[in-house]
Structure formats: C-alpha cells, structure tokens
Amino acid sequence: MKQLTGSYLSIGAGENQIPLIRAAKARGLKVISVDTNPQAPGLVESDIKILESTHEYRKILHSMSKVPLPFTLLGVGSRSYGKAVYTVSYLAEKLKLRGNPRDTVNLFLDKERFKNSVQKYGIPVPLSLQSNLQTKAKEKKIEITFPLIAKPKEGSGKKGILVLESEAEFKKFSRLKTSESFLLEPFIPGEEVTVLGFVIARRFYLISLTDKITTGKPNFIEVAHVAPSKHIAMAGELKMICQAIVTATKLKTGPFVAEFKITKNKECLLIESAPEVGGEFLADVLIPEHYGYQYFNDLLSVTIGEKTRPGFLKKPKDGVTKSALVFTLPSERQKKMGEPTTLLANIGETVFFQKQLVPTGALLDKLEGNHRRTQVFGITTKLDTNTEDWLESIFTRINS
C-alpha cells in the first residue's frame, strides 16, 4: 500500500475503533482520536488525544482549532453509530473533508421520517400503523392482524421492541403516553440478511451479504450471522434497493449497512439502514476471516478520497465453505454472568474468534435486546453442511 503524508481524525477510540485507527497508521498517517474515556484502548495507538464525548461535535471542533497539525488533515471517520455519525458529518463539513450532509444523517436517526422518505422512492418497507388505529379501523374497516411490532422511533441494538399479541394488548399500549414514540408494524415472517457496502460519490457498492438469525419474537435478539448468505441470488435486487436508498436520502460518501427481510414470496423488505460500518463483528471479524477482505483499508480510502472500487465478495478463502459468528444468551433464570463457556471444534472446523461480552459477575436482569448476549464465537467449516444443522450443532456444544 502506498504510504501517505497527513493526519486522520478518529471519532471514538474504543475497542471497536481500533481497526480504523490501525488502517490509518499502516498508511503512515498521524491519528487524532476523540474519546471521553481516558482509558480507551485506541488512545494508546493514537498520536494526538482529545478527551471529549463523541457527541459533542462543537467542542471537538473547538479542540481541533487548538491542535498543532504538522500534516494536512485528510479525513474523518468513525466505527460508532447514531450521534457519533452526526459528529462525523458536522466535522467533515466544518473542516472541508469528505462526508455526508448533516440533514441526511439526521434523516437516518429519525426512523419514522426516514421510512416516509424512502417509501416515496418505491423502496419496499413494512406497512406503518398508527397507535390510534382502533378508531380508524372501525371507520375504514381495516383488519388488524396480530402480532404487531412496536419499535422505538429512536434507538438501536433491539432495545425497547415490544410485541403486541392481541387486541387487548394493543388497546392497552395505545392508551400509553409513550405510544407516540413508537413505530407500529405488522409482524412479517421471513429470513433476514445484512448488507454491508460503501457509498462513493453517491454510488452504492455492495461488499457482502450475510444471513442473520434471531431469537424471533418477542425480543428478536441476533444470535448468529453466517457467510455466505443462502440468498445470494437476491444480491442484484438488494443492490438496486440500496442505491435507491442512497438516492432518496442524498447520501454522498462513507460506510453503509442495511438489514432486509426476505419473505416467502422472495420480496425484499427494508427493515433498517444506516450510514455506518455496522456492528456484530461483521466488518472486523467475519468478513476478513471468510473472504480475506480488509474492510477498514477501504473505509479509510473512501473517507480520505482515494480512488477505490470495492467488489462484491463471493469467493471464500482457503477452501472454507461457511463461516459464522454465534452469540450466547443467559437462561431466563440466570441473574449474574458466570464463567465463560468454550466452543470445541469438530473435524473440519476452526474456532477463530471468541470474546466475552458481559463481565463475569455482572447483573443480567436489566440488560435488554442484543445487550443481553454474553459471549460471541467465530467458527468456520470446510465441510459442505446444511446451515441450520451446523448452527444447531454449534449451539448444542456451547450449551452442553
């Protein structure tokens, strides 16, 4: 890789941010990292440290005005999500760097406004219902089918999702003052996939397509991600939908992640999307291990304006047939995190990653959504096996 002369601004210096910091350092760039935690591990690998919340974009800009930069600032980026992504767009605008418009990022943060915007472009999304639907139902004779899914209009990580199983639960929910802060959608059966990509000069580039397995209702916690996706034939249609999202929202540049539900009729419904790298260890663990692709090298190139044209990943490395990230969940009665479990590999398998997500002894009862997951394992197989049977075998070994 060609060595560069310049500096790079990293919004965040936590563990998840380290791959981006290292990608910049590997190219010879001086890294300025922002984090409110003085013990953030990425700060150790950074050249200049700014102790500030990643949400305080104005304070960060003020701090940057005091930083003596020996080299030209080439770009700004983040592995984080939500408000930190808005900070990136704000700083990119003020520091004359590549980034997305602030209005665009704000649109993604408001799920209701985002959904209304993309619908106008013909992008398929689940039907929206109103919390006062029982009145309208009598007037218009709309038949409500249960269960209904109530999603917080703001938030992430599957936190706060409610499932309304009956008309009685729906009426009780609609009387709550907080009901207006939720999106109501019908529950749609189907299989889920995750799309990773980049936006470069308003054009969408598809990188990977993986299957997502959840616990189903009521919590929809993500318990596995598998490469390659069984829905690889849908890649062309998914790419077209993602390009339509880019056009509808006026995205310009940077990372992109989207989740879709594939119905039994092979319709691709957009569940959510964001101008972010995305979590779940996909970009930094699963994709490099399965395909040998270094995602963060391209993320750096995109954010500093280097010419790069990422291609859709199809061919796994080293004869591997499948790779998976699998997550463990505590039992319903478990109150505290115990000692971590292990995953033993069968013939043809390799356990390439494992991480404890909740500290031993931590209380579990107040953790919600994906935050209830206690451990994650990465595993590959060289055998040609059915995905469902393989995952069942893995979970059996973990829980035994």
Side-chain angles (χ1 to χ4, degrees), residues 18-57:
I18 289 176
L20 180 56
I21 292 172
R22 288 180 178 170
K25 296 288 288 182
R27 297 294 302 277
L29 298 178
K30 302 294 183 183
V31 176
I32 308 154
S33 289
V34 179
D35 205 290
T36 190
N37 177 15
Q39 304 301 317
L43 293 178
V44 177
E45 303 189 31
S46 304
D47 299 280
I48 297 174
K49 309 165 184 62
I50 297 176
L51 295 179
E52 189 57 78
S53 166
T54 57
H55 299 173
E56 295 286 356
Y57 45 89

Side-chain angles (χ1 to χ4, degrees), residues 113-242:
R113 197 159 65 91
F114 169 80
K115 192 173 179 181
N116 292 336
S117 297
V118 298
Q119 273 183 301
K120 296 175 184 176
Y121 279 73
I123 295 166
V125 294
L127 179 70
S128 288
L129 306 172
Q130 301 298 321
S131 58
N132 60 346
L133 192 61
Q134 71 269 33
T135 306
K136 294 184 178 180
K138 291 177 182 177
E139 293 172 357
K140 300 181 181 180
K141 294 184 180 179
I142 299 173
E143 186 175 340
I144 309 172
T145 55
F146 293 93
L148 295 177
I149 308 300
K151 298 178 180 178
K153 292 180 181 178
E154 296 181 4
S156 61
K158 306 297 180 290
K159 290 179 70 175
I161 292 179
L162 302 173
V163 178
L164 310 177
E165 295 279 7
S166 64
E167 187 169 351
E169 288 186 12
F170 171 66
K171 287 180 177 179
K172 183 178 178 181
F173 169 79
S174 63
R175 287 193 291 267
L176 297 174
K177 289 183 179 179
T178 54
S179 64
E180 292 183 1
S181 64
F182 283 79
L183 280 177
L184 279 180
E185 297 175 351
F187 172 70
I188 300 168
E191 297 178 327
E192 295 188 49
V193 296
T194 302
V195 170
L196 291 189
F198 286 115
V199 180
I200 304 172
R202 302 182 189 278
R203 180 177 173 185
F204 175 74
Y205 290 83
L206 174 63
I207 292 175
S208 72
L209 182 62
T210 52
D211 289 333
K212 182 177 78 171
I213 289 84
T214 74
T215 55
K217 60 187 176 69
N219 298 318
F220 304 98
I221 299 172
E222 295 167 26
V223 291
H225 294 270
V226 183
S229 169
K230 66 169 71 170
H231 298 288
I232 210 83
M234 310 293 290
E237 184 174 345
L238 291 167
K239 183 178 178 181
M240 288 175 60
I241 296 173
C242 289

Side-chain angles (χ1 to χ4, degrees), residues 231-364:
H231 298 288
I232 210 83
M234 310 293 290
E237 184 174 345
L238 291 167
K239 183 178 178 181
M240 288 175 60
I241 296 173
C242 289
Q243 180 61 62
I245 296 168
V246 170
T247 303
T249 59
K250 297 182 172 60
L251 274 175
K252 289 175 65 177
T253 187
F256 183 91
V257 60
E259 296 182 350
F260 292 87
K261 183 158 281 188
I262 311 295
T263 69
K264 63 179 180 180
N265 297 324
K266 296 298 180 183
E267 183 182 9
C268 304
L269 286 179
L270 175 66
I271 303 302
E272 58 183 330
S273 66
E276 302 167 2
V277 173
E280 302 300 301
F281 305 98
L282 292 178
D284 44 357
V285 177
L286 183 64
I287 300 307
E289 185 63 33
H290 188 76
Y291 295 106
Y293 172 74
Q294 300 305 316
Y295 174 98
F296 289 91
N297 292 345
D298 269 348
L299 176 60
L300 178 71
S301 293
V302 169
T303 55
I304 66 176
E306 279 188 325
K307 287 187 178 180
T308 179
R309 287 176 173 261
F312 180 41
L313 301 172
K314 295 180 181 178
K315 190 176 180 182
K317 67 174 189 178
D318 301 332
V320 169
T321 59
K322 286 186 180 71
S323 301
L325 291 169
V326 293
F327 297 84
T328 61
L329 286 169
S331 65
E332 289 297 324
R333 294 183 179 181
Q334 191 175 341
K335 300 298 182 183
K336 287 185 178 182
M337 175 63 185
E339 292 298 321
T341 59
T342 58
L343 172 59
L344 298 177
N346 284 342
I347 294 173
E349 293 179 340
T350 301
V351 177
F352 62 86
F353 178 71
Q354 57 184 35
K355 182 177 176 63
Q356 187 172 342
L357 302 176
V358 178
T360 301
L363 295 175
L364 300 169

